[in-house]
């Protein structure tokens, strides 16, 4: 994601003030799936334990605040609120693109999640893959990770966003070789993520050949970067292209299943339009290790830290309730619960209950 101050602030403003989510109800694909409701779960709700280990860190629930921001005073305040809420709830926290730090070391304070929330169980750094074609190598990546105390580094893949964005960087050739060379040298696990178009089977197969720890799907159905960038540009041609591609990509549920199959031993984080704990539960049953939620927590944090805490607590309580109703005491048991194709409207509404 581009990270000049203007861009990061205009991304924040658009995400907070405009309609930037996928317009169709349930484009993620989760609504087409249902669990077997168990009216005899042989379990007390109090016994349900949503805690899990992700990238070697213990989380209170398989949830992260998704990668969003940093680099400007407004972004810094947002990171402070998001990190405080994530730490209070015991979930993971992903920083937005650290590109700004490459040219302006003073920007570090706007990414200082660990300073404001030392209790954070898991912090992920972030940079666009295309930066590897712009002179960024192992020393720079190591410095970005060290500066924020990241436990892992997310490298984002955003070709559609760059294609629509004014001044976007669309030089994506040669990235596989560069990723192969740098990933084992960063000193922390490296994960690859999309930003809203999902990871397809051909992409997952390419990723399987790379020495990376895992992926975050960021599939179709949530925040649309094609839409955000078409709202930002004055160029009518780019606006039209952005709107045309608003439906481009792999629905999140499908992408999670694909990634789990193609990357059986790697971390798979589900994201892209996940709006309820039921959807987190379904993502886990499809094979995800955890889920990341971005826009709804950002909107809550814009109101207050307490609102962000409440939003995370709601997601976790919905997940625990889904675990209770499927007789799953632990996240490992939930992963083994079968999902069925929903055949009627009642089942459909189970998955889209946002
Ligand atoms: C305001 C905003 C800024 C974002 N910036 C980044 C970023 O810098 N790096 C990145 O990898 N993803 C970024 N994303 C994408 C999210 O991490 C996530 O993949 C995407 O929004 C889908 O999740 P959602 O539907 O829950 O919002 C951003 C999302 C939002 C809403």
């Amino acid at each position: 994601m581009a990270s000049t101050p203007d861009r990061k602030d205009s991304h924040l403003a658009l995400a907070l003030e405009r309609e930037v989510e996928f317009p169709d109800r349930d484009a993620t694909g989760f609504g087409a799936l249902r669990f077997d409701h168990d009216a005899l779960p042989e379990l007390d709700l109090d016994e349900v334990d949503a805690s899990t280990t992700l990238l070697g860190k213990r989380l209170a629930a398989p949830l992260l605040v998704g990668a969003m921001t940093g680099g400007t005073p407004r972004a810094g305040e947002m990171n402070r609120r998001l990190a405080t809420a994530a730490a209070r709830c015991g979930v993971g926290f992903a920083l937005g693109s650290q590109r700004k730090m490459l040219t302006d070391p003073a920007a570090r304070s706007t990414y200082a999640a660990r300073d404001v929330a030392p209790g954070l169980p898991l912090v992920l750094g972030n940079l666009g893959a295309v930066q590897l074609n712009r002179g960024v190598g192992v020393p720079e990546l190591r410095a970005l990770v060290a500066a924020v105390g990241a436990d892992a580094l997310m490298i984002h893949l955003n070709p559609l966003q760059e294609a629509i964005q004014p001044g976007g960087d669309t030089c994506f050739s040669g990235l596989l070789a560069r990723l192969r060379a740098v990933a084992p040298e960063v000193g922390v696990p490296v994960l690859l993520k999309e930003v809203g178009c999902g990871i397809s089977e051909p992409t997952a197969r390419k990723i399987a050949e790379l020495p990376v720890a895992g992926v975050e799907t960021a599939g179709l159905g949530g925040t649309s970067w094609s839409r955000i960038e078409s709202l930002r540009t004055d160029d009518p041609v780019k606006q039209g292209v952005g709107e045309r591609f608003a439906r481009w990509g792999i629905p999140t549920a499908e992408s999670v299943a694909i990634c789990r199959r193609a990357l059986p031993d790697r971390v798979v984080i589900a994201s892209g339009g996940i709006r309820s704990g039921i959807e987190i539960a379904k993502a886990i049953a499809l094979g995800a290790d955890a889920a990341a939620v971005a826009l709804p927590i950002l909107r809550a944090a814009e109101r207050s830290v307490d609102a962000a805490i409440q939003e995370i607590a709601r997601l976790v309580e919905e997940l625990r309730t889904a675990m209770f109703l499927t007789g799953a005491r632990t996240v490992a048991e939930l992963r083994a619960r079968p999902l069925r194709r929903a055949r009627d409207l009642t089942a459909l509404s189970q998955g889209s209950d946002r």
Side-chain angles (χ1 to χ4, degrees), residues 4-344:
T4 67
D6 285 355
R7 282 179 187 164
K8 280 319 248 186
D9 276 350
S10 79
H11 287 156
L12 269 184
L14 287 168
L16 289 167
E17 290 153 24
R18 303 291 292 271
E19 187 44 72
V20 297
E21 290 186 87
F22 196 90
D24 288 5
R25 176 178 163 272
D26 201 42
T28 56
F30 286 113
L33 303 168
R34 67 163 172 80
F35 283 108
D36 287 327
H37 168 66
D38 191 350
L40 281 170
E42 286 296 311
L43 180 66
D44 301 347
L45 178 55
D46 283 350
E47 289 173 66
V48 171
D49 177 9
S51 69
T52 195
T53 299
L54 184 69
L55 294 161
K57 307 292 172 186
R58 198 72 194 157
L59 304 182
L63 179 62
L64 294 98
V65 175
M68 282 183 280
T69 204
T72 70
R74 186 179 187 192
E77 170 59 17
M78 199 53 92
N79 272 339
R80 188 190 68 74
R81 295 183 188 190
L82 292 167
T84 305
R88 199 81 62 79
C89 298
V91 301
F93 175 71
L95 288 160
S97 172
Q98 293 173 256
R99 181 175 158 200
K100 177 81 170 125
M101 288 175 63
L102 294 170
T103 51
D104 178 7
R108 183 202 163 272
S109 63
T110 67
Y111 299 87
R114 283 247 183 258
D115 299 355
V116 296
L120 271 173
L122 174 68
V123 174
L124 304 180
N126 189 289
L127 194 69
V130 77
Q131 293 306 310
L132 301 179
N133 279 344
R134 295 286 175 243
V136 169
V138 171
E140 291 79 12
L141 296 177
R142 279 180 168 269
L144 288 181
V145 165
V148 298
D151 302 299
L153 179 67
M154 290 269 194
I155 296 188
H156 66 256
L157 313 169
N158 61 338
L160 175 58
Q161 185 198 2
E162 297 288 354
I164 310 296
Q165 174 165 268
D169 190 340
T170 47
C171 297
F172 275 63
S173 310
L175 287 179
L176 272 176
R178 291 196 195 282
L179 286 165
R180 185 173 293 116
V182 300
E185 308 297 330
V186 177
V188 292
V190 170
L191 291 94
L192 300 180
K193 80 183 281 287
E194 238 289 345
V195 301
C197 294
I199 293 174
S200 68
E201 183 134 14
T203 312
R205 273 197 249 112
K206 289 184 224 180
I207 293 173
E209 303 299 317
L210 295 176
V212 296
V215 291
E216 180 184 321
T217 60
L220 184 71
T223 304
S224 163
W225 280 93
S226 151
R227 175 150 290 194
I228 291 182
E229 294 302 349
S230 68
L231 289 168
R232 277 186 67 225
T233 181
D234 294 330
D235 175 346
V237 171
K238 289 281 188 190
Q239 273 168 2
V241 178
E243 281 305 320
R244 182 71 64 203
F245 281 81
R247 285 155 198 279
W248 181 271
I250 318 295
T252 297
E254 199 181 325
S255 187
V256 171
I258 285 169
C259 288
R260 178 42 74 219
R261 261 201 318 276
L263 303 161
D265 305 322
R266 317 276 181 106
V267 167
V268 174
I269 299 172
S271 73
I274 291 187
R275 300 292 178 259
S276 77
I278 300 173
E279 290 166 345
I280 297 173
K282 289 179 180 178
I284 285 170
L286 286 171
D289 297 293
V293 175
L295 189 65
I297 305 179
L298 181 79
R299 288 186 170 169
E302 170 73 352
R303 297 198 297 280
S304 66
V305 172
D306 281 349
I309 290 172
Q310 221 171 70
E311 179 68 9
I312 296 170
R314 175 187 66 82
L315 290 164
V316 173
E317 200 46 33
E318 289 170 355
L319 167 65
R320 290 186 69 253
T321 306
M323 292 171 70
F324 177 50
L325 299 177
T326 53
R329 199 179 312 264
T330 63
V331 172
E333 287 180 18
L334 177 63
R335 192 162 295 132
R337 291 290 175 270
L339 279 166
R340 315 215 179 264
R341 287 257 148 227
R343 257 169 278 140
D344 59 33

